[in-house]
Amino acid sequence: MDTLKVKPEYLSQRDNLSSEGTPDHFTQCFIASDTMFLRWAQKTYQPSKKTLIDERAWLAAIENNLSGRETRFFWAVHERALNKVLNRIDAPFTLRAIPANIQSIAEQIESGFPTILSMMGTAYKETVKGHVWLAYWTEKNPQSEIGFGGHDPYGNALTGWKDQNGNRIFYGSKDLRKMILPTCHYFKVIHK
């Protein structure tokens, strides 16, 4: 079920650069997914604003939000930075990183919120441990099992990411059970 009036635009992490300006295609899924979410939030809650957040600026914002021994792969870093922007654009919610639960994620998506979530990629490519993507619609199969559709910034996990187009990808219930393990997280919407 696709309930969004404003659809998130797709961004690929495969064209990203590091903060030093060198190609960095493999570690930017969190940056690309955050940016897709923030652009949706800006268009939804501040539609008159013409300048949208770009991935390079978002990477710098994340790196400027590091505290202590944190790295840019920590959910807490992204939570702080995302909530700063959501507050600035007067979004009626904040985000909190919590352990992933397929049913809770489905309910959030169906209530109209794209959802940043992680998956374990090792089921599809041995070298991919963790991965982050943006889900924004749900679908049920004939057995009423739920699947998620959205944008995967690295491509299609079902092909081991050989298919580099992750625009409007769908991962069915069988795949979600392999991907979303107890160690995975998502950003839960907390209404103000």
Side-chain angles (χ1 to χ4, degrees):
M1 172 186 344
D2 189 346
T3 59
L4 294 180
K5 291 180 182 134
V6 176
K7 306 290 185 238
E9 79 178 271
Y10 176 68
L11 296 172
S12 171
Q13 74 187 70
R14 291 182 182 261
D15 59 1
N16 287 11
L17 301 173
S18 70
S19 52
E20 293 83 33
T22 58
D24 182 6
H25 312 301
F26 302 108
T27 68
Q28 299 267 342
C29 56
F30 223 148
I31 299 299
S33 297
D34 284 358
T35 305
M36 289 187 278
F37 178 85
L38 286 172
R39 285 184 175 190
W40 167 83
Q42 280 182 288
K43 289 177 183 177
T44 301
Y45 299 104
Q46 212 176 41
S48 62
K49 186 170 173 107
K50 300 290 183 232
T51 306
L52 296 175
I53 291 172
D54 69 28
E55 291 165 291
R56 196 95 190 266
W58 187 245
L59 174 60
I62 291 298
E63 289 177 343
N64 289 332
N65 266 285
L66 299 178
S67 176
R69 294 179 164 224
E70 291 177 330
T71 70
R72 65 184 169 90
F73 303 106
F74 282 50
W75 281 79
V77 174
H78 291 262
E79 180 179 317
R80 285 193 307 270
L82 286 163
N83 284 330
K84 283 181 187 176
V85 174
L86 292 172
N87 189 50
R88 260 198 323 264
I89 65 172
D90 295 322
F93 63 91
T94 60
L95 298 174
R96 182 174 306 138
I98 65 170
N101 170 292
I102 292 172
Q103 187 58 43
S104 297
I105 294 168
E107 290 168 6
Q108 180 165 297
I109 293 168
E110 290 170 358
S111 71
F113 293 95
T115 301
I116 300 167
L117 66 150
S118 66
M119 69 162 82
M120 294 306 295
T122 50
Y124 302 98
K125 188 172 183 178
E126 195 174 297
T127 57
V128 178
K129 291 188 174 85
H131 181 58
V132 178
W133 64 294
L134 184 74
Y136 66 90
W137 88 85
T138 64
E139 249 176 64
K140 289 186 178 177
N141 66 17
Q143 293 78 35
S144 292
E145 297 173 316
I146 200 132
F148 298 157
H151 297 323
D152 186 327
Y154 200 60
N156 185 344
L158 303 181
T159 67
W161 290 283
K162 288 179 184 143
D163 176 357
Q164 296 182 11
N165 183 1
N167 187 21
R168 290 194 54 85
I169 290 294
F170 182 77
Y171 297 132
S173 61
K174 180 178 151 196
D175 300 306
L176 289 179
R177 287 192 299 272
K178 285 187 214 172
M179 294 173 175
I180 301 175
L181 304 176
T183 56
C184 294
H185 287 79
Y186 79 106
F187 280 121
K188 179 174 179 53
V189 168
I190 308 295
H191 297 279
K192 291 181 180 176

